[in-house]
Amino acid sequence: METSAIQSIKLAIVAATGLSKDALHIYVGLAVFLAAVIVLRKPLRSNVPWLVVVSVAITGEVLDMRDDISSLGYWRWGASLHDILNTLFWPSVLLLLAKFGIFFHTSNDRNA
């Protein structure tokens, strides 16, 4: 079994950071969400940054699926689902908190 270039990069990042793959999914999800908020100039309550995270997570898992099928002969869909949930957890929490105004208020909300 030969390791793909993408898997080699992921393993190098794990080795360089000393973090688990699960932790990296969490950090990547948060980083992509916040970067999308900043770059796209959308508020935290917008669905757009969350959808960017969904797209990144699914793209990563499609690449993992291709590698699984190539090296193992089958797709470890449970592991992919686990990774997607890890990636989306905190962006989802931040989105919901912002949508329902629990912690993040606009200046108009404070005056009401």
Side-chain angles (χ1 to χ4, degrees), residues 22-44:
D22 284 345
L24 286 172
H25 278 276
I26 292 165
Y27 285 126
V28 166
L30 272 172
V32 169
F33 182 73
L34 295 174
V37 165
I38 292 166
V39 170
L40 300 174
R41 296 180 184 199
K42 297 287 184 181
L44 286 173

Side-chain angles (χ1 to χ4, degrees), residues 30-69:
L30 272 172
V32 169
F33 182 73
L34 295 174
V37 165
I38 292 166
V39 170
L40 300 174
R41 296 180 184 199
K42 297 287 184 181
L44 286 173
R45 67 182 175 276
S46 170
N47 291 333
V48 174
W50 187 83
L51 290 171
V52 171
V53 178
V54 170
S55 299
V56 168
I58 290 173
T59 300
E61 294 313 310
V62 166
L63 295 171
D64 284 351
M65 177 185 67
R66 188 192 67 178
D67 288 342
D68 279 355
I69 292 170

Side-chain angles (χ1 to χ4, degrees), residues 1-4 6 8-9 19 21 23 28 35-36 44 55-56 58 61 63 70 80 84 89-90 95 103 106-107:
M1 281 189 299
E2 187 174 315
T3 305
S4 72
I6 292 167
S8 295
I9 292 168
L19 295 170
K21 288 183 181 180
V28 166
L44 286 173
S55 299
V56 168
I58 290 173
E61 294 313 310
L63 295 171
S70 173
S80 289
I84 289 171
F89 180 78
W90 284 112
L95 173 66
F103 289 117
T106 63
S107 59

Side-chain angles (χ1 to χ4, degrees), residues 57-97:
I58 290 173
T59 300
E61 294 313 310
V62 166
L63 295 171
D64 284 351
M65 177 185 67
R66 188 192 67 178
D67 288 342
D68 279 355
I69 292 170
S70 173
S71 63
L72 303 172
Y74 61 94
W75 176 31
R76 296 175 300 153
W77 64 269
S80 289
L81 179 60
H82 176 86
D83 291 347
I84 289 171
L85 292 175
N86 269 341
T87 306
L88 289 174
F89 180 78
W90 284 112
S92 298
V93 168
L94 290 175
L95 173 66
L96 291 172
L97 290 174

